[in-house]
Amino acid sequence: MPEPVNKSQLFATLAKFYREALRKDKAGRALAQSFGLYGQVLEQFGVGFANGAVLRAIPSKGGARDVLVESGLITKDGKEAVSGCLVVPAYDRQESAAGFIAISKDGIETLYPAALSRLGVNLTAFAKKEIVFTASVLETMRFTQAGLTAVPVGSELNGEEKAFIEKYRISKAYLAADLPELVKVLQKLAVPCYRLALQFPASSAQVE
């Protein structure tokens, strides 16, 4: 009987695969540059690029492929759902790889798996205690590139995200978007919230 696949190890290996693809693929680097993202921030967030090569790197059948199909990264008809996208790994509260957020050339962001917490793309931010909360991974990386500490969060917080915020107990929050549900959670924790006036040039970023 085959051994069960360790999802976090598989996602961690896949993240390295995508990062290497970004380094080698001109199309991936061009896509990152089109969003105004360069060097250090790409390394900090472990940004990769999906160019379809992963389909040739894993067995056509078996546990690993089953996990990727279950997470949505590979479609049921065997195609790479995130092909042509930037891919950003996200981690859970135990700092284990939990999935990916794919950013298409149109700036649309999709979570794999769908229940993934966006907060996990930048765990190191929570050590700073004063954090900028944004509505997208792209905006988070832009703020980070500008020298601020930022994390993305969904308009509707899932259980993992609420637990994340309660665990790390930040001291001050700056809001770069309208995030009323986040504000409610932070107010219960007595965390001061401030609306951030800093704006970046308009982009096509959207979140699914």
Side-chain angles (χ1 to χ4, degrees):
M1 187 174 180
E3 293 185 7
V5 174
N6 184 308
K7 287 186 180 182
S8 63
Q9 289 182 3
L10 176 60
F11 287 146
T13 299
L14 192 58
K16 293 178 182 178
F17 187 92
Y18 284 138
R19 285 199 299 274
E20 188 62 24
L22 179 64
R23 295 188 184 102
K24 295 180 177 179
D25 198 307
K26 291 182 180 179
R29 295 196 301 275
L31 180 57
Q33 291 170 8
S34 75
F35 292 127
L37 304 175
Y38 300 91
Q40 185 175 346
V41 75
L42 297 175
E43 290 295 326
Q44 179 176 339
F45 284 83
V47 180
F49 181 63
N51 58 8
V54 70
L55 295 176
R56 300 187 295 273
I58 62 173
S60 59
K61 294 182 180 180
R65 184 170 286 257
D66 290 344
V67 168
L68 298 185
V69 170
E70 179 185 344
S71 68
L73 288 164
I74 294 179
T75 64
K76 291 183 179 180
D77 59 354
K79 297 179 181 178
E80 187 178 25
V82 296
S83 183
C85 296
L86 294 180
V87 185
V88 186
Y91 301 85
D92 61 23
R93 283 174 288 152
Q94 289 71 45
E95 302 184 12
S96 297
F100 299 88
I101 298 175
I103 306 171
S104 73
K105 63 181 180 181
D106 299 319
I108 297 173
E109 299 183 6
T110 308
L111 281 60
Y112 298 93
L116 187 69
S117 169
R118 292 181 178 85
L119 292 173
V121 302
N122 192 15
L123 289 180
T124 59
F126 289 92
K128 303 293 185 180
K129 298 303 179 182
E130 295 187 8
I131 296 176
V132 176
F133 288 93
T134 78
S136 74
V137 177
L138 274 177
E139 288 300 289
T140 290
M141 290 192 285
R142 290 186 178 118
F143 275 105
T144 301
Q145 199 161 246
L148 299 174
T149 301
V151 294
V153 65
S155 56
E156 296 183 3
L157 300 183
N158 59 34
E160 175 73 6
E161 289 170 328
K162 290 178 181 178
F164 233 115
I165 294 167
E166 291 172 357
K167 174 184 177 180
Y168 286 98
R169 295 280 178 168
I170 64 171
S171 60
K172 194 176 294 184
Y174 297 91
L175 309 178
D178 186 20
L179 300 166
E181 192 167 333
L182 171 65
V183 171
K184 290 179 182 178
V185 173
L186 292 173
Q187 287 177 337
K188 287 181 179 179
L189 298 172
V191 176
C193 300
Y194 305 91
R195 188 61 189 260
L196 192 64
L198 177 63
Q199 296 291 327
F200 290 97
S203 73
S204 57
Q206 303 177 50
V207 179
E208 284 193 344

